[in-house]
Amino acid sequence: MNASQLIEVKTVLKMAQAISKETSYEKFLTNLLKIVLVNAGARKGAFLMVKEGDLFIEAEANVAEVTDDWNIQILTSLPIAQWANSPLSIIQHVKRTKEVYISGCAINSDFNKDPYIVGHQTKSILCVPIINNSQLKAILYLENNFAMHIFTQDRVEMLKLVSSQIGTSLENAMLIKSQTEAAEKISLQVEEVERYKKQLEEFIDVVCHEIRNPLNGIYGNIDILRYSVRDCARLVNGRKPLTPPVRSQKREPIPAIKSPNMLTNNYTSPTPS
């Protein structure tokens, strides 16, 4: 193995390690595009996911021509039909054949009628399928509009080697994303249940309060009525009326009502003395 090959192997290993360490889906996409664009010599790139047979743009990146500043956008599954920043004919070709597409001068290729190529006069294009378990999972699109033949065979082979790690890391990131979303959904449902429970408790408190106040008056009137009826009976029999006892000395305050059943379970009719 010569020095050039050794450097290439080290570069591939470094890229694979950097890509695999990210577990957050958004960070994975950001880190992936930065690493690939730098090592491939691209100035613009995009990551497309295959979902139920259709392509969706997950993220795109470009490097400013003068300042070399990065601009990376997470597009959250934008349908490819709504994306005009790449030659769709080439991307669809890679999706269909599952083979790498490389062009040193795309204007002279079989896709020279693609509106994007005609409009941008793109000089170098590289499109790499990401395959995992024999299935096409994603497509990596790269371009450089500064010069032709930017994507050399060495760089293409390097991306081919690291693409398997990209596929594995993608599966892991997607799994963690789905688990996180499921956990967030459950958390929201728990919060909703707690909010409903609190509203129900507040409603029961109000209803019980509204019921308890009239019952206090009813209990007092029952005392007065009971003694009045008994006194009438004593008067009819020629006996002296009894003075009604002070209510607070005879009956404990009505307990707080925590459920409608307490209205019937806790109340016993006063027995005349």
Side-chain angles (χ1 to χ4, degrees), residues 57-215:
I57 315 301
E58 297 296 315
E60 65 176 338
N62 59 73
V63 184
E65 295 184 3
V66 178
T67 62
D68 284 342
D69 291 335
W70 285 90
N71 178 23
I72 299 178
Q73 290 183 306
I74 306 298
L75 300 178
T76 59
S77 299
L78 178 70
I80 191 172
Q82 301 178 19
W83 191 55
N85 292 335
S86 69
L88 300 185
S89 60
I90 293 177
I91 293 174
Q92 292 291 358
H93 169 76
V94 173
K95 177 191 173 186
R96 184 174 63 256
T97 63
K98 299 181 183 179
E99 295 179 355
V100 173
Y101 175 89
I102 180 172
S103 173
C105 184
I107 195 65
N108 295 324
S109 73
D110 296 335
F111 302 97
N112 59 353
K113 293 182 181 180
D114 187 287
Y116 180 85
I117 295 175
V118 173
H120 292 77
Q121 298 292 300
T122 309
K123 295 181 173 62
S124 295
I125 292 177
L126 176 61
C127 204
V128 181
I130 306 300
I131 298 175
N132 191 31
N133 296 326
S134 302
Q135 293 184 346
L136 180 66
K137 297 295 183 179
I139 292 176
L140 192 60
Y141 172 81
L142 305 172
E143 73 172 53
N144 188 309
N145 210 26
F146 285 173
M148 295 186 296
H149 310 296
I150 287 293
F151 304 119
T152 63
Q153 192 61 38
D154 289 342
R155 288 176 172 176
V156 173
E157 292 301 322
M158 179 182 62
L159 287 178
K160 283 182 179 180
L161 289 173
V162 82
S163 64
S164 60
Q165 181 59 53
I166 294 174
T168 302
S169 299
L170 174 63
E171 290 289 328
N172 294 337
M174 290 294 293
L175 178 60
I176 293 174
K177 179 184 178 183
S178 63
Q179 292 175 341
T180 302
E181 290 175 348
E184 291 175 350
K185 185 177 180 180
I186 292 174
S187 178
L188 290 175
Q189 291 174 341
V190 171
E191 290 178 2
E192 184 66 23
V193 170
E194 291 296 330
R195 184 161 53 251
Y196 174 77
K197 180 181 177 182
K198 183 178 179 182
Q199 292 174 349
L200 183 61
E201 290 175 348
E202 291 175 351
F203 173 75
I204 292 175
D205 287 344
V206 172
V207 171
C208 291
H209 176 75
E210 295 298 325
I211 294 175
R212 187 166 59 246
N213 285 343
L215 285 179

